[in-house]
Amino acid sequence: AAGQQRATDLSGNGNDAILGPDATSESAGSRTGLALSAQNTSYAIADLDEAARSTFTFSAIVRSPNVSMGGRFIAHRMTAYEQASGCAGGGFSLADNGYLDFQCQRFRVPAFATDLHLPSRPWVAVTVVYDGRNLQVYVGGVLAGIERFTGLFWVDEGTTVSMAIVPQITWVSDLVLGQRMIVPNGGFSNTYAWEGWLDQVAWFDHVPAPAVLTPLTTGVFPDDIVNY
């Protein structure tokens, strides 16, 4: 309800999100979701295991306000690589203008930005999957982009860009929704605060099986998400 201090982890795993003072639960369109305002006190910090991983999956259903804010952070999780390189927001982040950052590399997902800012203001399902080699992005159940990480190089549309080997992703923060961090779980700013709604946010430290991943990309949770 509005004014609550936690967003409950419905998987039963206890990864509840702590809400900033201005984050509430509101109805928007056909759903009731986490409502975030464009100020530095509006965010949610989901309590996740901060450790080294080689894979992850992020999924959410997102709805934008009536105007495109541009470059505001829907989700951000800091990595040790980001922290050491000083590329703020570059560990893993997704912005409302369709920019997806991962390990200090930036990619554009036009389909996400386009769908998010349609005049009808729909809820848009977005899923990001990293399997240790490929970074895949699904928008509304459709594969909207794929970036291949092959040892020393990122391969992007035929252009090879040199990058140091990052064998594992070492997370140094929880998952923050609606904000960009400067330090782990803090250092928020109005400049990067996103205004909009989120529903059915999911984070996995692995790539779910197709029976789970396929419906998840369309915004449909599996019946028993606890076991995944």
Side-chain angles (χ1 to χ4, degrees):
Q4 66 182 2
Q5 294 303 304
R6 303 184 73 85
T8 305
D9 173 13
L10 297 181
S11 73
N13 292 317
N15 297 322
D16 292 355
I18 299 172
L19 304 185
D22 296 297
T24 60
S25 176
E26 292 181 6
S27 295
S30 59
R31 293 178 172 273
T32 298
L34 175 67
L36 300 166
S37 62
Q39 51 190 313
N40 62 354
T41 57
S42 185
Y43 56 82
I45 301 179
D47 178 20
L48 298 177
D49 180 28
E50 298 168 20
R53 296 285 186 266
S54 57
T55 58
F56 74 87
T57 302
F58 167 79
S59 185
I61 306 176
V62 187
R63 189 173 190 263
S64 173
N66 291 329
V67 295
S68 171
M69 303 191 70
R72 302 301 184 102
F73 283 70
I74 294 169
H76 176 208
R77 195 170 189 195
M78 186 177 287
T79 64
Y81 190 75
E82 170 191 348
Q83 196 174 33
S85 302
C87 57
F92 163 73
S93 65
L94 178 66
D96 65 338
N97 56 5
Y99 282 114
L100 172 67
D101 284 22
F102 180 57
Q103 295 294 52
C104 300
Q105 300 292 304
R106 174 161 290 179
F107 310 104
R108 184 88 161 91
V109 189
F112 176 64
T114 299
D115 287 1
L116 191 63
H117 299 296
L118 288 172
S120 59
R121 302 298 165 207
W123 284 88
V124 179
V126 58
T127 301
V128 180
V129 179
Y130 180 62
D131 64 6
R133 183 176 294 270
N134 299 307
L135 184 70
Q136 302 175 68
V137 186
Y138 296 85
V139 178
V142 178
L143 182 62
I146 180 170
E147 304 292 342
R148 297 183 299 281
F149 179 56
T150 56
L152 285 171
F153 303 100
W154 280 100
V155 181
D156 180 14
E157 296 179 356
T159 302
T160 303
V161 181
S162 178
M163 179 182 175
I165 291 179
V166 184
Q168 285 190 317
I169 312 158
T170 301
W171 303 110
V172 296
S173 80
D174 294 317
L175 176 66
V176 171
L177 305 172
Q179 267 286 359
R180 188 193 80 174
M181 292 169 274
I182 298 299
V183 297
N185 297 342
F188 304 128
S189 166
N190 289 355
T191 303
Y192 301 104
W194 177 68
E195 181 178 2
W197 297 266
L198 290 167
D199 194 17
Q200 295 190 179
V201 177
W203 182 279
F204 301 82
D205 62 6
H206 60 280
V207 179
V212 176
L213 182 61
T214 300
L216 195 66
T217 64
T218 66
V220 177
F221 268 24
D223 292 333
D224 182 15
I225 202 169
V226 176
N227 295 326
Y228 298 109

